[in-house]
Amino acid sequence: MTLIEIFAYLVTGVFSGLLAGLLGLGGGVLIVPSLILVFGHLGFTPEWIAHLAVGTSLATIIGTGGASALAHHRRGAVRWDLVRRLAPGIVLGAWAGAALAGLLPQAWLQRLFGVFLLYVGARMLLPRGEMPRIIAPGPLGLAMAGGGIGALSAIVGIGGGTLTVPYLVKTGLTMRQAVASSSACGLPIAMAGAIGFMVTGWGREGLPGMSTGFVYWPAVLGILVTSMPMAPLGARLAHSLPLPILTRIFGVLLLLVAAKLLLG
């Protein structure tokens, strides 16, 4: 690896870790577009750039999400009873999402992620009223919800926080419990999704060395070196920085990145 490539991974890890701690979002919304840019400059086979970015992002979330979930668990904020009921659907959905992503052409996978960023950015900028509550579903309902969350999260390479947190708040959890439980749900999403992208990418021609399927390990290690220690720092800063302003700034940034992905 060149020094510029290593630097790009380390910087991506810094900002994705801070993002996870500050705003409760998985680092995938930043990691995937960053890797698409880096892999393009490295001259990787264009056909697989988006797939490698998504699969690699999921692999990094295993480490970052694990550190975040452990921190929340130590504070007693994770509703493990709900996590256990969501997990089977999450795993099956993530495998299905990874299989579907493997069938999508590069351009469509990139555009799909761009549309997802438009959604996340718009949610950050638009005012939010009080979320309507729904009756907490039974085991089957939670498994089905987990399947939908896992599938979409795996396709776009995220830990699922943008989907899981609003859903859990609607079922009656406090925001603190929802964020904590979402971080725990991110682990099965990332693990199942990363394995799915390894399998679906296995044996594809044109993949770079030091990759397993659609997971590129130098990028995984480079990002984790900085993202794991930065996530707890971001969580501490969340109590002192003006989060509404930061959220709007990042929302605008996501919209600009989405436009680049959709038009590029």
Side-chain angles (χ1 to χ4, degrees):
M1 291 191 295
T2 65
L3 289 177
I4 294 178
E5 182 183 356
I6 295 172
F7 179 74
Y9 298 147
L10 295 177
V11 171
T12 299
V14 168
F15 285 102
S16 64
L18 282 174
L19 174 65
L22 269 173
L23 304 179
L25 293 176
V29 295
L30 181 62
I31 294 171
V32 173
S34 298
L35 290 182
I36 288 176
L37 180 63
V38 173
F39 292 165
H41 280 287
L42 291 176
F44 286 3
T45 304
E47 183 182 1
W48 304 126
I49 285 178
H51 299 78
L52 282 165
V54 172
T56 301
S57 172
L58 288 166
T60 65
I61 293 171
I62 295 174
T64 307
S68 177
L70 179 60
H72 285 296
H73 170 70
R74 287 173 174 170
R75 292 172 174 83
V78 179
R79 282 286 304 273
W80 288 108
D81 56 326
L82 291 177
V83 174
R84 284 192 293 269
R85 294 176 183 177
L86 285 166
I90 282 174
V91 170
L92 293 176
W95 282 339
L100 176 60
L103 299 175
L104 291 175
Q106 143 79 15
W108 281 103
L109 187 58
Q110 180 171 315
R111 288 169 188 156
L112 182 60
F113 188 81
V115 171
F116 177 75
L117 287 190
L118 283 178
Y119 163 74
V120 177
R123 286 191 70 238
M124 287 183 161
L125 294 175
L126 295 176
R128 301 184 192 178
E130 184 177 350
M131 290 187 181
R133 297 299 173 90
I134 61 175
I135 299 175
L140 179 58
L142 286 170
M144 293 177 64
I149 292 170
L152 182 56
S153 299
I155 290 174
V156 296
I158 63 170
T162 54
L163 306 172
T164 312
V165 171
Y167 174 75
L168 292 177
V169 170
K170 286 183 179 181
T171 63
L173 269 65
T174 65
M175 180 58 72
R176 180 170 177 266
Q177 289 177 322
V179 170
S181 302
S182 173
S183 68
C185 289
L187 272 177
I189 290 174
M191 293 177 69
I195 292 172
F197 271 85
M198 292 181 204
V199 173
T200 57
W202 191 271
R204 304 282 184 122
E205 293 186 4
L207 292 176
M210 294 182 289
S211 64
T212 304
F214 291 134
V215 174
Y216 183 57
W217 293 110
V220 173
L221 296 177
I223 291 172
L224 286 178
V225 166
T226 50
S227 68
M228 291 185 68
M230 293 306 290
L233 174 60
R236 289 196 295 270
L237 292 175
H239 296 280
S240 59
L241 295 179
L243 289 187
I245 296 176
L246 290 174
T247 300
R248 292 187 182 96
I249 292 174
F250 192 72
V252 172
L253 175 62
L254 288 185
L255 293 181
L256 293 175
V257 174
K260 173 65 176 176
L261 292 177
L262 291 172
L263 301 175

